């Protein structure tokens, strides 16, 4: 078959020969830019037609790295090649949505494309793949090339797996963290004390940040909370806050809000803070790789870049949490403390109960309902979410010199009970751009079904991983009103047929996926009271 002829079984592709394209003065070929409406999730992708003169003349290969220039700007992208002129024509170059936005031009603007230079750090990557120890300059170069999208997805995966398989020593973790900070911008709030709270993740619900920020900001502390969106979880802080307010804020607007209100709850993607981390996360999470080294570098680079100098870090421990045992938690704690100390960041690591989800709702709307109920001191507010948020906020408040150790919890409780935390949260919501939301009538997905206890007994186990998976199959977080609403927690007595939780989904297909998952494994274990697992925590 001639390469320019479409397959016989695809009558929709009717290709005509490409017209000749005149070359620019510098020898490169100008093509017209086209925005291709494909979300490639943090990966810049370029598209050329297979019969394009440029593709043929320049010896491009699919999945190779190319450099696209227009309007005095450049974008590094992974090349995809198409047969379909409906995607790009022969005189066009297409760019995925994020890549197109980076050039700041209109469709049809002339652009040039050429082979990208190999990453300068590729030799260091190969040495790490071979198990060698890398130095400070090696990690700086790698972080810089990752942030500039010079690595292909294959090379990124190789780096993630290499650092996972041959565990980095603690100084290498510090070098990687330092390199990731330097590859982006760093905020300076010109305040003596800038605080933050972070959880290593893995526990559904657990939306404590949305309570801690208004509590400590109401006390006067600066808390610029920039959070991520969910990748493999049913909701991130940014997804849940987006139910209540805008979270994609220009960096200038974010800074104005923090200076005016002492805090924010925003998505961190617009701030260009530790951009190498954003790229790496897009590879790590789908591979279910979360090594201690990458976790420490990811979290601490983001916090230092955001201008924080005091961090309370939540490490949940439980049978289905990221950290399964107390010895593992202590090892991770020591690594965080070592790297934080080298970076000049004060850190307070708190080991918490990770045996089950925190709160009642799992999914953006359900979690937003729980948060607002806690702030409103509502009788149906989940007690575990309230208590955990108060204890974490109390630990942050105790970094203030005039707050004695042990007094923070009481101060945080008074701020919450008095309504000052709710008042601060409403001010943040208004400043960021409020969205209508009634916690008494949350906009849940249309379809719902209950999952029932198979026998009499006590809830002796809740699988965090399975509950999160069911919520995602139901549509969360892309469908904000989808998710899981828990009716029973550990230690609760149940009778056969009692509803353990309800699943909400917008589309019949999502209902079917989620229902099939619950039938294979509900995520709940029913047994005798003495079978409830115990965990030692450090609150």
């Amino acid at each position: 078959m001639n390469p320019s002829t479409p397959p016989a079984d695809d009558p929709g592709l009717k290709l005509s020969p490409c017209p000749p394209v005149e070359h620019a003065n510098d020898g490169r070929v100008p093509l017209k830019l086209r925005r291709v409406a494909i979300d490639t999730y943090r990966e810049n992708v370029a598209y050329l037609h297979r019969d394009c003169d440029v593709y043929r003349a320049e010896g491009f290969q699919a999945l190779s790295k190319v450099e696209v220039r227009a309007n005095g700007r450049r974008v590094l992208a992974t090349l995809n090649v198409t047969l379909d002129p409906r995607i790009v024509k022969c005189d066009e170059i297409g760019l995925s949505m994020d890549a197109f936005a980076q050039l700041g031009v209109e469709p049809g603007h002339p652009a040039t494309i050429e082979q990208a230079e190999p990453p300068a750090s590729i030799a260091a990557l190969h040495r790490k793949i071979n198990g060698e120890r890398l130095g400070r300059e090696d990690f700086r170069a790698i972080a810089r090339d990752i942030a500039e999208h010079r690595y292909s997805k294959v090379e990124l995966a190789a780096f993630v797996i290499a650092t996972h398989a041959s565990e980095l020593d603690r100084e290498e973790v510090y070098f990687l963290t330092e390199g990731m900070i330097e590859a982006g911008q760093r905020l300076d709030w010109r305040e003596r004390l800038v605080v933050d709270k972070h959880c290593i993740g893995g526990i559904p619900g657990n939306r404590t940040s949305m309570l801690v920020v208004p509590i400590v900001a109401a006390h006067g502390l600066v808390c610029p909370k920039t959070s991520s969106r969910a990748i493999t979880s049913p909701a991130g802080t940014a997804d849940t806050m987006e139910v209540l307010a805008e979270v994609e804020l220009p960096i200038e607007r974010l800074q104005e809000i923090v200076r005016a209100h002492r805090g924010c709850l925003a998505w961190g993607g617009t701030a260009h803070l530790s951009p190498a981390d954003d790229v790496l996360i897009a590879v790590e999470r789908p591979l279910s790789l979360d090594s201690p080294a990458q976790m420490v570098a990811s979290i601490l680079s983001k916090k230092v870049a955001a201008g924080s100098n005091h961090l309370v870090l939540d490490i949940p421990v439980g049978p289905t949490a990221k950290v399964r045992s107390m010895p593992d938690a202590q090892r991770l704690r020591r690594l965080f403390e070592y790297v934080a100390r080298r970076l000049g960041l004060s850190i307070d690591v708190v080991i918490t109960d990770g045996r089950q989800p925190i709160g009642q709702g799992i999914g953006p709307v359900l979690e937003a309902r729980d948060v607002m109920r806690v702030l409103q001191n509502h009788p149906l507010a989940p007690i575990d979410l309230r208590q955990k948020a108060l204890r974490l906020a109390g630990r942050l408040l105790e970094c203030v010199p005039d707050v004695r150790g042990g007094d923070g919890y009481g101060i945080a409780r008074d701020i919450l009970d008095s309504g000052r935390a709710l008042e601060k949260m409403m001010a943040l919501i208004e400043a960021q751009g409020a969205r209508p939301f009634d916690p008494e009538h949350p906009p849940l997905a249309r379809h719902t079904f209950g999952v029932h206890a198979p026998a009499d007994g006590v809830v002796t186990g809740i699988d965090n991983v399975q509950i999160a998976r069911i919520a995602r199959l139901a549509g969360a977080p892309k469908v904000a009103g989808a998710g899981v609403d828990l009716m029973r927690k550990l230690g609760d007595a149940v009778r056969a047929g009692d509803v353990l939780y309800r699943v909400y989904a917008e589309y019949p297909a999502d209902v079917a996926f989620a229902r099939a998952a619950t039938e294979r494994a509900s995520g709940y274990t029913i047994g005798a009271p003495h079978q409830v697992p115990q965990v030692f925590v450090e609150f």
Side-chain angles (χ1 to χ4, degrees), residues 98-113:
D98 285 348
F100 187 90
Q102 292 172 44
L103 292 178
V105 297
E106 295 296 321
H109 194 283
T112 59
I113 181 173

Side-chain angles (χ1 to χ4, degrees), residues 46-48 55 60-66 77-81 113:
Y47 302 87
L48 283 180
Y55 173 67
F60 290 117
Q61 291 185 344
L63 301 184
S64 63
K65 276 290 182 179
V66 296
T78 301
L79 179 64
N80 282 197
V81 180
I113 181 173

Side-chain angles (χ1 to χ4, degrees), residues 199-200 313-317 323 329 332-333 336 349-353:
C199 176
I200 67 168
L313 182 73
D314 174 13
I315 300 182
V317 179
V323 179
L332 184 59
R333 174 186 195 161
F336 267 109
V349 178
V350 185
I351 298 174
T352 62
D353 187 349

